[in-house]
Every structure is written in structure tokens, then in C-alpha cells.
């Protein structure tokens, strides 16, 4: 079943691209609605069929995919803003890695939420009750798969770190040093050189965003439907909580966090 993308897009209605900041606001609203739907589904387990849970999970993942597709289109217009975004808070920007969240954070979130939910259920489990179908019920096979995914993701993060370092070091080329020595007065030449540097960082952003989405999908793929719902709840709760906290700390009008 194909999932509908978020309601808004990066168009201003006249065929011209709208600021990504406007789309980001719609993404926050979309994620808030997704969180409400995920919480409702989690509260209905085990009565809700796995097929229905899987459709919801696929819909939420489709919204993440739409987010990164829109971000990629915006980066093609102005990649610079993707590395110093005005639509996120200074708190969020403190934790940015290559224009977004670090992919291995998804694995850390999985382990943390799993441990918390297992701890909650442990007393009843020790008294003979069955574990609830949430992240506290990860099997040994799932934990092994998660560990292998984490190792692969760390390796890919290091490759992207190296690519970012290469792109950043390219600022000090002979051409740039020569232009800087002349006071950067050759505006056209400076523009061309800076565009090539920005293009290098755009490739880094594309690789990082692709790894972010791929990691999210692969974490969900190793989970059972009910577990995937709980993981997506934890991901949305964390992102929205940090976003709303950061906005309040920056002095913006507080938007009420999703309940």
C-alpha cells in the first residue's frame, strides 16, 4: 500500500521552490501526527493485526523518505543552508553531523529503549508473565543483527567523515590561496571556486542523508511490526522533544510537544 507524502511540499503554489524552512515546519506537524497514530497503534496491540501495523510503519517510513527527497531538492538550490540551518534550534545544531543526525544514533536509541522497556517488564517476567511485544522482547538473533548493522554503519560513517575532511581541506587549494592573496577581488573566479567547494559538501550531504534513511529502514526491518512501532515512537519522541526544547531555549514561541 503506497503511503501518502506529507501534505505540504517545497512549492509556493506558483511553481517556484518555497524555503525549506517552511517545509520543515510541515514535517514537524507531520511527525507529530505520525507519533499520535503510532501511540494509538501501540496501545491497541495485540488486538491490531500485524498487517495493519506494518502498513502504518511503511507509511511513517515513506514520510521520512519524502523528507529526505525534499531536503535533497532544496540542497541542490542552496547546500550551504543545510549545514547551518535556520529552521532548527541552536540545541539541535549542536548535535548535527554532516547536516543531520548521526546514523548510529538510531542503533543507540534501539538499545536504550529496549533496555528501558525490558527493565519495566522484568518484575512481572520473573513472576512468570510473558514479555510484551515491544523492544524489551528483542531476541538474541535480533540483537546480533543490530550489532552487525551498527558495525557496518560505523564503517560507513567513517568513510563519510573522510569525504567531508577532503571536501573541507579543498578550501586551501592553490587557486583559493591565490585569490585570497589578491583580496578575493575577482568575484567571478571566487564564485566559481566556492561553488566547486560547495558541490563537494553537497555530495557529502547526499551520502550522509542516504545513510540516515538506510539505517532507519534497516533497523525497522530487523524488528517485528509491534516492535517497529515502538522504535518509531521513540525516534519521533526524541526528535520532537529536542526540537521543542531548543525552540523554547532560543526564545521562540513554544509549540506544545505532542502528547
Amino acid at each position: 500500500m503506497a503511503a501518502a507524502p506529507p501534505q505540504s511540499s517545497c512549492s509556493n503554489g506558483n511553481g517556484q521552490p518555497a524555503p525549506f524552512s517552511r517545509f520543515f515546519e510541515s514535517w514537524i506537524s507531520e511527525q507529530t501526527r505520525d507519533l499520535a497514530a503510532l501511540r494509538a497503534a501501540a496501545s491497541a496491540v495485540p488486538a491490531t493485526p500485524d498487517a495493519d501495523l506494518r502498513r502504518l510503519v511503511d507509511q511513517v517510513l515513506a514520510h521520512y523518505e519524502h523528507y529526505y527527497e525534499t531536503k535533497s531538492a532544496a540542497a541542490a538550490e542552496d547546500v550551504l543552508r543545510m549545514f547551518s540551518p535556520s529552521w532548527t534550534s541552536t540545541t539541535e545544531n549542536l548535535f548535527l553531523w554532516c547536516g543531520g543526525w548521526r546514523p548510529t544514533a538510531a542503533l543507540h536509541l534501539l538499545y536504550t529503549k529496549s533496555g528501558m522497556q525490558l527493565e519495566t517488564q522484568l518484575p512481572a517476567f520473573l513472576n512468570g508473565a510473558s514479555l510484551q511485544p515491544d523492544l524489551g522482547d528483542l531476541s538474541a538473533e535480533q540483537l546480533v543483527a543490530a550489532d552487525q548493522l551498527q558495525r557496518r554503519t560505523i564503517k560507513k560513517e567513517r568513510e563519510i567523515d573522510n569525504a567531508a575532511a577532503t571536501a573541507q581541506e579543498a578550501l586551501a587549494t592553490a587557486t583559493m590561496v591565490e585569490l585570497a592573496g589578491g583580496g578575493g577581488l575577482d568575484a567571478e573566479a571566487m564564485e566559481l571556486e566556492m561553488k566547486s567547494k560547495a558541490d563537494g559538501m553537497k555530495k557529502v550531504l547526499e551520502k550522509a542523508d542516504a545513510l540516515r534513511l538506510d539505517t532507519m529502514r534497516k533497523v525497522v526491518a530487523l524488528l517485528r511490526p509491534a516492535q517497529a512501532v515502538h522504535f518509531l515512537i521513540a525516534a519521533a519522541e526524541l526528535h520532537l522533544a529536542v526540537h521543542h526544547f531548543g525552540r523554547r531555549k532560543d526564545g521562540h514561541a513554544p509549540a506544545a510537544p505532542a502528547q
Side-chain angles (χ1 to χ4, degrees):
M1 178 179 176
Q7 295 299 312
S8 65
S9 67
C10 263
S11 172
N12 61 11
N14 297 317
Q16 299 297 320
F20 186 77
S21 57
R22 190 180 307 167
F23 170 79
F24 186 81
E25 291 175 3
S26 76
W27 161 245
I28 291 295
S29 297
E30 186 73 41
Q31 194 171 45
T32 301
R33 290 191 293 272
D34 282 345
L35 177 56
L38 288 163
R39 283 172 169 168
S43 66
V45 172
T48 306
D50 279 356
D52 291 345
L53 295 177
R54 179 57 65 188
R55 277 193 290 270
L56 176 58
V57 167
D58 289 344
Q59 176 178 301
V60 173
L61 288 177
H63 292 162
Y64 276 101
E65 184 173 355
H66 179 72
Y67 171 82
Y68 285 113
E69 287 174 350
T70 306
K71 184 180 177 184
S72 178
E77 297 292 329
D78 186 1
V79 69
L80 303 180
R81 293 191 181 277
M82 296 299 150
F83 285 93
S84 55
S86 60
W87 46 87
T88 53
S89 66
T90 52
T91 299
E92 291 169 277
N93 292 346
L94 179 65
F95 298 100
L96 288 183
W97 174 83
C98 295
W101 54 273
R102 183 176 284 274
T104 44
L107 279 306
H108 289 295
L109 176 63
L110 175 67
Y111 294 139
T112 300
K113 192 66 176 182
S114 173
M116 292 172 63
Q117 291 187 325
L118 177 59
E119 184 177 3
T120 299
Q121 297 186 57
L122 198 55
F125 177 71
L126 293 177
N127 286 327
S130 298
L131 290 174
Q132 296 298 313
D134 58 21
L135 296 175
D137 190 27
L138 292 179
S139 68
E141 291 79 8
Q142 288 175 309
L143 289 171
V144 169
D147 178 68
Q148 292 173 341
L149 175 59
Q150 183 177 29
R151 293 172 186 273
R152 293 194 302 270
T153 305
I154 289 172
K155 180 180 178 181
K156 291 177 181 177
E157 283 182 351
R158 288 173 178 166
E159 292 171 355
I160 294 172
D161 278 330
N162 290 336
T166 299
Q168 291 167 338
E169 290 164 0
L171 183 65
T173 59
T175 301
M176 281 296 296
V177 172
E178 183 178 353
L179 287 168
L185 299 179
D186 189 339
E188 184 176 351
M190 180 66 80
E191 180 71 25
L192 287 174
E193 277 299 306
M194 292 306 294
K195 183 181 184 304
S196 70
K197 313 307 179 194
D199 286 345
M201 290 306 295
K202 180 176 179 294
K203 292 177 182 177
V204 169
L205 180 68
E206 290 172 347
K207 291 178 181 178
D209 281 348
L211 183 57
R212 281 185 265 270
L213 182 59
D214 184 61
T215 303
M216 177 72 76
R217 286 191 174 281
K218 285 181 177 175
V219 169
V220 168
L222 63 86
L223 301 174
R224 296 190 294 275
Q227 293 173 330
V229 167
H230 282 276
F231 171 73
L232 291 173
I233 288 173
E237 286 178 340
L238 182 60
H239 178 238
L240 291 171
V242 173
H243 177 73
H244 291 307
F245 169 83
R247 295 286 289 178
R248 288 194 301 271
K249 191 171 179 64
D250 288 348
H252 295 286
Q259 298 297 323

